[in-house]
Amino acid sequence: MQDYQTILEEIYQSLKNCENTGQVASYIPELANADKNKLGLHLQLITGENFGVGNSSEKFSIQSISKVFSLALAFQHIGNDLLERVDVEPSGNPFNHLSLLEQEDGIPRNPLINSGAIVVADVLLSNLQNPKQDFLEFVRELAHDDTIEFNEKIAESERKTGFNNYAAANLLKAYGNLNNKVEDVLDFYFHQCSIMMDCKQLTDAFFVFANKGCCRKNKQHLTDSQVKRVNAIMLTCGFYDEAGEFAFEVGLPGKSGVGGGIVALLPNEFIIATWAPALNPKGNSYLGMQALEQFTTKTKLSIF
Amino acid sequence: MQDYQTILEEIYQSLKNCENTGQVASYIPELANADKNKLGLHLQLITGENFGVGNSSEKFSIQSISKVFSLALAFQHIGNDLLERVDVEPSGNPFNHLSLLEQEDGIPRNPLINSGAIVVADVLLSNLQNPKQDFLEFVRELAHDDTIEFNEKIAESERKTGFNNYAAANLLKAYGNLNNKVEDVLDFYFHQCSIMMDCKQLTDAFFVFANKGCCRKNKQHLTDSQVKRVNAIMLTCGFYDEAGEFAFEVGLPGKSGVGGGIVALLPNEFIIATWAPALNPKGNSYLGMQALEQFTTKTKLSIF
Amino acid sequence: MQDYQTILEEIYQSLKNCENTGQVASYIPELANADKNKLGLHLQLITGENFGVGNSSEKFSIQSISKVFSLALAFQHIGNDLLERVDVEPSGNPFNHLSLLEQEDGIPRNPLINSGAIVVADVLLSNLQNPKQDFLEFVRELAHDDTIEFNEKIAESERKTGFNNYAAANLLKAYGNLNNKVEDVLDFYFHQCSIMMDCKQLTDAFFVFANKGCCRKNKQHLTDSQVKRVNAIMLTCGFYDEAGEFAFEVGLPGKSGVGGGIVALLPNEFIIATWAPALNPKGNSYLGMQALEQFTTKTKLSIF
Amino acid sequence: MQDYQTILEEIYQSLKNCENTGQVASYIPELANADKNKLGLHLQLITGENFGVGNSSEKFSIQSISKVFSLALAFQHIGNDLLERVDVEPSGNPFNHLSLLEQEDGIPRNPLINSGAIVVADVLLSNLQNPKQDFLEFVRELAHDDTIEFNEKIAESERKTGFNNYAAANLLKAYGNLNNKVEDVLDFYFHQCSIMMDCKQLTDAFFVFANKGCCRKNKQHLTDSQVKRVNAIMLTCGFYDEAGEFAFEVGLPGKSGVGGGIVALLPNEFIIATWAPALNPKGNSYLGMQALEQFTTKTKLSIF
């Protein structure tokens, strides 16, 4: 048994002392205020043990990490029918590029790029009774935590400035791959991205993906096969055009968000979440990427 | 002096008898009702003589032909400053592709593709007092015809279904190349495209581009240099990804619209307009392209 | 302990009876003669147990599977310096496309697409004393089998018709990312691809990637970290533009070749190889992909 | 009648005094030695009058200007059949990009980009008895000048370093759009590009394109229609991804070469050639582009 608390602390110290050349995301005004000196790590073992350092219990906007929840919920509702509207291949392109969407006739490359997540949001809008509330309840249930909330200010901030997402949604609509109204789909999407969670809560909620579909209270939310597929998509597509780099350096399925969060997991072993708001040029947390790289190097734990 | 009336009638007869494999544009519901058997041609010499055959005095929606008017009006207002926001290179891509826009950081390739025309519309919105009315007056003045009107039904039809244009406008906005609100710019744009004119009126209005900037009543609307540049843009960019083909087969500056209209001109000599609603796969009038090809072949008149 | 022999036989029977819509690769004339009814599977456990069905001991040209050997040997020689000349991101494009190479200034996306493997071949040419022979010895040593040979006829066949590879190599040369002569690099590359092995031998040779860098005779050929990285690259890039699909459906690091072979592995558990010459439209073995999908579904063994 | 000699001298003086930020082409070693201070202009009227300034009678390597001669000769031999192997659309991409070639299944966008000119060279190789000699004779005949020669040193220099052209030719071969051997086609192509001519000779040879297909000795080399088409291709495709800019600023069909030469013409009026070795970032002569822009601005002569 490794001394995980010491390992997390070593990582924390080494990163607090290194120069942080990342930049806080500025395209969503409400995110631009984040303090780039914040750094939190939280590790949860499949056995239920927990280890945290730094700002690991401070809430932040999970942003694209929410795409994993919406993907899981869509799988739960329509299963592999989802694959008729969104592919599962890595994009090899920055997260906001519409070019591929045009070349591929309105079928997004995968559910973790923005256009793909917007299609997933459209699926949920068509399949949930009270879409926003039902989605929030799903996340709360996975995490066993009813205090998880949307951040209306951030959702509103994105609604006013998310022109790229409006472009993507309209293009999907032009290709007939959006059944609901652009405004409605994006209202849902901006809300899902605005959810506030801390590192500990993220490991709670992602427990299900490390535990064959069963949450911490042992309820089966997803089938074994669905979990395997969500993990595969995270590994190949979870970090935009840095997915290969993350697999290469870290070697875990995971997902990042522009709020500075990253969650990753080793099936049957652990879930780890980090938060550090400054991003590298590819849009992933600058310190978070390094934290996870150090963690798998020190522990020699990875899927490979 | 050639016998133009006979030439037009020969072209008309040969095309009425040929199989028309084109398809009427269906993505704008209001245009889908057009009768694909309609065919009109009108020729106006710089000397003021007029020749017409077929449905040359039936009005249709000029659609993208309006981009030439908006480009000319934008040049009139801000001159070459326009070039900081839109380039003048052929796109080598279908008319609605957003890929290039992303690769080129939000600067449209030229003012005659949709994204470029939307930037031009934004310029006019910022520079005209009563944008829609002022634009309409400009077209009326060029044509010396106050009966020219918007078609509100077509404008409304595009407002409801023009998702591709919403995508383009939002993408421009994301790149900071749109100063007004997306809704306002597109309202203007959809109105400019909805203008109804017949072949004769189009030759009246395009007289200015064949006559060094002076309209039929001899008023100087554009400088010699501006007209030269508008003509150059028409030649290299006026027919989407069929621009080279048109230069090769016809050899005149011109512009087509999905309503089935085409206008072309030989500086100091003539203006010719055709209308036939069915389009070839590249989005240009199937019979219109052939009519103009026959015309320059028979008359041996082209810029080359 | 699962009954692997029965599982393999079930898979074999189900696939022998299904319609085989794949096509044998025809662009290399020497490969076009392959019998599309052949099907072999071989499984080797990390404990040394072996299970085989069908044509599992018939030799075929390993083609792109050889890229994993050359990548490993290049890592052994120059370590992470390799990453200055080739990236590790999935390409999201068919295996022979040069477009990305131009967009990315001559740095191939990853070492498993042709252009990337040609750069790796160039590295080996610069670092090995007797390049072709040394490479062959490396493969023999990994497999502990001195009967493994190049197929000179296939190598010659590719030399005469591999225009796409000549294009890639010349483009790399134009970008300054090829130090040796085009002819020499491709001579090496065509030989590495021509190596003949059967399914059993492939599992022998890939044992090292499932066993932290130690071969079956327990010699350490690669570091733990190098093996992890080779596996990560296989998972994200091993199946051209079907890499995501393979991760999603199968969930193992692996590599395919146009000769119809596929090898995949679960670290610390097993190595599995299949051979069936007919390819699906993405260039991967039609039956082989299904065999591996059935195997991980039946055994519930995957990295996720 | 304008005072052309004075106009040319004014242009010459203004450009000799302006800062020359262009760069001599360095990728062909033999061209890198050119003196970037050289500047020549020559104007020939359709009436036979000639006007020259600066280094207008100094020979230089015509490079891509030769593509117009090969296009004309291919039209003469196989007419519009040529269009089955090469398109006539502007590329909207830098001159050496292979991306389009892949996207468009081996059919080059037009005959004036490198890949297109290589297909034209292949056509000539198949249709001429003594390809290199016959081509040289064709150019000599157009110019009425038997002193015109290949520059073997430059041809050899390109043969050794023209990896991009080898890449293009091999890619064309892979798509089945090259009938002769890569080496043979490129030997022809490098020779055609190496031809040495001065500005005066270029206006002699291009006389045919300004005179409906008749050369200065009034022999009909091309049909009226063929000349019109060559001119159309020059206008839309003659300046790589600066073709629109040239049409916009200059307004004449023309062709540039990386040797620093440019030829342009106004049908039935004049031919003008410039030479200044330093190139702008798009690969066209920095001073030459300005010289022609000044010329059409001062004389108000253009096709528009």
Side-chain angles (χ1 to χ4, degrees), chain A residues 75 80 83 87-93 109 224 228-229 231-233 235-236 240-245 247-251 253 267 293 296-297 300 302-304, chain C residues 75 80 83 87-93 109 224 228-229 231-233 235-236 240-245 247-251 253 267 293 296-297 300 302-304:
Chain A
F75 264 139
N80 280 353
L83 305 180
D87 206 348
V88 294
E89 293 299 324
S91 73
N93 263 309
R109 269 292 175 89
D224 195 4
K228 171 182 159 183
R229 288 168 177 206
N231 286 340
I233 294 173
L235 190 89
T236 53
Y240 312 121
D241 46 342
E242 210 172 17
E245 179 84 6
F248 186 83
E249 299 288 358
V250 178
E293 192 184 327
T296 56
T297 302
K300 297 197 185 240
S302 87
I303 58 171
F304 299 117
Chain C
F75 264 138
N80 281 353
L83 305 180
D87 205 349
V88 294
E89 293 300 323
S91 73
N93 262 309
R109 266 292 174 90
D224 195 4
K228 170 182 160 184
R229 288 166 180 209
N231 286 340
I233 293 173
L235 190 89
T236 53
Y240 312 122
D241 47 342
E242 210 172 15
E245 180 84 5
F248 186 83
E249 298 289 358
V250 177
E293 192 182 327
T296 56
T297 302
K300 298 196 183 241
S302 88
I303 57 170
F304 299 117

Side-chain angles (χ1 to χ4, degrees), chain D residues 12 16 37-41 53-58 198-199 275:
Chain D
Y12 182 79
K16 286 306 273 186
N37 294 315
K38 294 296 176 84
L39 173 61
L41 289 88
V53 289
N55 311 102
S56 65
S57 55
E58 195 164 321
D198 65 27
C199 292
W275 175 54

Side-chain angles (χ1 to χ4, degrees), chain B:
Chain B
M1 173 78 183
Q2 311 202 33
D3 179 355
Y4 291 113
Q5 189 64 39
T6 303
I7 290 172
L8 291 194
E9 273 158 20
E10 284 170 8
I11 296 171
Y12 181 79
Q13 286 310 328
S14 90
L15 293 177
K16 285 306 272 187
N17 294 329
C18 93
E19 197 196 3
N20 183 349
T21 66
Q23 298 288 328
V24 170
S26 60
Y27 70 95
I28 305 173
E30 204 59 33
L31 293 182
N33 305 321
D35 177 354
K36 71 180 271 190
N37 294 314
K38 294 298 176 79
L39 173 61
L41 288 89
H42 190 93
L43 172 72
Q44 179 160 181
L45 303 187
I46 200 82
T47 56
E49 281 168 287
N50 283 275
F51 310 89
V53 289
N55 310 103
S56 65
S57 56
E58 196 165 319
K59 293 192 176 192
F60 57 90
S61 163
I62 66 170
Q63 292 294 319
S64 289
I65 296 172
S66 68
K67 294 170 183 172
V68 181
F69 298 134
S70 61
L71 172 63
L73 192 53
F75 264 138
Q76 209 189 64
H77 277 269
I78 65 166
N80 281 353
D81 286 356
L82 181 61
L83 306 179
E84 284 163 31
R85 295 183 54 192
V86 58
D87 205 350
V88 294
E89 293 299 324
S91 72
N93 262 309
F95 65 103
N96 56 0
H97 273 206
L98 304 182
S99 308
L100 280 177
L101 204 50
E102 280 190 326
Q103 283 167 36
E104 295 166 7
D105 290 338
I107 302 297
R109 266 295 173 88
N110 65 65
L112 299 185
I113 52 173
N114 289 6
S115 57
I118 290 170
V119 167
V120 172
D122 185 56
V123 166
L124 294 180
L125 219 60
S126 299
N127 283 276
L128 301 179
Q129 213 134 17
N130 303 299
K132 286 191 280 190
Q133 196 54 37
D134 292 358
F135 179 77
L136 187 59
E137 291 302 334
F138 176 68
V139 178
R140 286 172 170 177
E141 211 184 304
L142 288 186
H144 294 287
D145 188 333
D146 282 352
T147 69
I148 295 170
E149 292 285 1
F150 295 127
N151 182 325
E152 292 291 344
K153 258 177 126 172
I154 288 179
E156 179 62 12
S157 184
E158 289 211 57
R159 204 184 58 77
K160 282 191 189 145
T161 60
F163 302 113
N164 234 308
N165 287 318
Y166 278 95
N170 275 290
L171 190 52
L172 289 164
K173 192 86 183 166
Y175 279 108
N177 199 5
L178 209 72
N179 296 328
N180 297 283
K181 285 189 191 159
V182 165
E183 275 299 339
D184 294 346
V185 176
L186 291 182
D187 178 60
F188 179 90
Y189 178 68
F190 293 146
H191 273 85
Q192 84 172 58
C193 288
S194 80
I195 285 179
M196 303 295 286
M197 293 172 79
D198 65 26
C199 292
K200 165 72 169 65
Q201 288 172 319
L202 278 171
T203 65
D204 289 344
F206 271 69
F207 193 95
V208 72
F209 304 112
N211 194 35
K212 299 180 198 300
C214 291
C215 68
R216 285 154 60 230
K217 301 258 163 114
N218 224 22
K219 184 179 161 194
Q220 188 90 31
H221 291 268
L222 297 159
T223 67
D224 195 4
S225 155
Q226 284 169 344
V227 161
K228 170 181 159 184
R229 288 166 178 210
V230 171
N231 286 340
I233 293 172
M234 277 198 270
L235 191 89
T236 53
C237 316
F239 294 84
Y240 312 122
D241 47 342
E242 209 172 19
E245 180 83 7
F246 191 80
F248 186 82
E249 298 290 357
V250 177
L252 297 175
K255 184 74 202 81
S256 64
V258 291
I262 304 179
V263 201
L265 60 96
L266 182 60
N268 310 316
E269 299 289 340
F270 66 79
I271 310 99
I272 185 166
T274 69
W275 175 53
L279 309 179
N280 68 21
K282 306 267 176 146
N284 299 311
S285 173
Y286 178 79
L287 295 181
M289 294 293 273
Q290 292 178 63
L292 292 171
E293 192 182 329
Q294 286 194 26
F295 183 77
T296 56
T297 303
K298 281 171 191 285
T299 61
K300 298 196 184 239
L301 293 171
S302 88
I303 58 170
F304 299 118

Side-chain angles (χ1 to χ4, degrees), chain A:
Chain A
M1 173 80 185
Q2 312 202 34
D3 179 356
Y4 290 115
Q5 188 64 40
T6 303
I7 291 173
L8 292 193
E9 273 159 22
E10 282 171 10
I11 297 171
Y12 181 80
Q13 286 310 329
S14 91
L15 293 177
K16 285 306 273 187
N17 294 328
C18 93
E19 197 195 3
N20 183 349
T21 64
Q23 299 288 329
V24 170
S26 59
Y27 70 96
I28 304 172
E30 203 60 32
L31 293 182
N33 305 322
D35 176 355
K36 71 180 272 191
N37 293 316
K38 294 297 176 83
L39 172 62
L41 288 89
H42 189 93
L43 171 73
Q44 179 160 181
L45 303 186
I46 201 81
T47 55
E49 282 169 286
N50 281 277
F51 309 89
V53 289
N55 311 102
S56 65
S57 56
E58 195 164 319
K59 294 194 176 193
F60 56 91
S61 163
I62 65 170
Q63 292 293 318
S64 289
I65 296 172
S66 69
K67 295 170 182 171
V68 180
F69 299 133
S70 61
L71 172 62
L73 192 54
F75 264 139
Q76 209 190 63
H77 277 269
I78 66 168
N80 280 353
D81 286 358
L82 181 63
L83 305 180
E84 284 163 31
R85 294 183 54 193
V86 58
D87 206 348
V88 294
E89 293 299 324
S91 73
N93 263 309
F95 66 103
N96 57 0
H97 272 207
L98 305 182
S99 308
L100 281 177
L101 204 51
E102 283 191 323
Q103 282 167 37
E104 295 167 7
D105 290 338
I107 302 297
R109 269 292 175 89
N110 65 64
L112 300 185
I113 53 173
N114 289 6
S115 57
I118 290 169
V119 167
V120 173
D122 185 55
V123 166
L124 293 180
L125 219 59
S126 298
N127 283 277
L128 301 178
Q129 213 134 16
N130 302 300
K132 286 191 280 189
Q133 195 55 35
D134 292 358
F135 179 77
L136 187 58
E137 291 302 334
F138 176 68
V139 177
R140 287 172 170 177
E141 212 184 303
L142 289 185
H144 294 287
D145 189 333
D146 281 353
T147 69
I148 295 170
E149 292 284 1
F150 296 128
N151 181 325
E152 292 290 344
K153 258 179 127 171
I154 288 179
E156 178 64 14
S157 183
E158 288 212 58
R159 204 184 60 76
K160 281 192 189 143
T161 60
F163 301 113
N164 234 309
N165 288 319
Y166 278 94
N170 275 291
L171 191 52
L172 289 165
K173 192 87 184 166
Y175 278 109
N177 199 4
L178 209 72
N179 296 327
N180 297 281
K181 285 190 190 160
V182 164
E183 274 299 339
D184 295 346
V185 176
L186 290 183
D187 179 59
F188 179 90
Y189 178 69
F190 293 146
H191 274 84
Q192 83 171 61
C193 288
S194 80
I195 285 179
M196 302 296 286
M197 292 171 80
D198 63 28
C199 291
K200 166 70 169 64
Q201 289 172 318
L202 280 171
T203 65
D204 289 343
F206 271 67
F207 193 94
V208 73
F209 303 113
N211 193 34
K212 299 182 197 302
C214 292
C215 68
R216 286 157 57 231
K217 303 254 163 117
N218 222 24
K219 184 179 160 193
Q220 187 92 32
H221 291 269
L222 298 160
T223 68
D224 195 4
S225 156
Q226 284 168 344
V227 160
K228 171 182 159 183
R229 288 168 177 206
V230 171
N231 286 340
I233 294 173
M234 277 198 269
L235 190 89
T236 53
C237 316
F239 295 84
Y240 312 121
D241 46 342
E242 210 172 17
E245 179 84 6
F246 191 79
F248 186 83
E249 299 288 358
V250 178
L252 297 175
K255 184 71 203 86
S256 63
V258 292
I262 303 179
V263 201
L265 59 98
L266 182 61
N268 310 316
E269 299 289 342
F270 67 78
I271 311 100
I272 185 166
T274 68
W275 175 54
L279 308 179
N280 69 19
K282 304 267 175 146
N284 299 312
S285 171
Y286 179 78
L287 294 181
M289 295 293 272
Q290 292 179 61
L292 292 170
E293 192 184 327
Q294 286 193 26
F295 182 78
T296 56
T297 302
K298 282 172 191 283
T299 61
K300 297 197 185 240
L301 294 170
S302 87
I303 58 171
F304 299 117

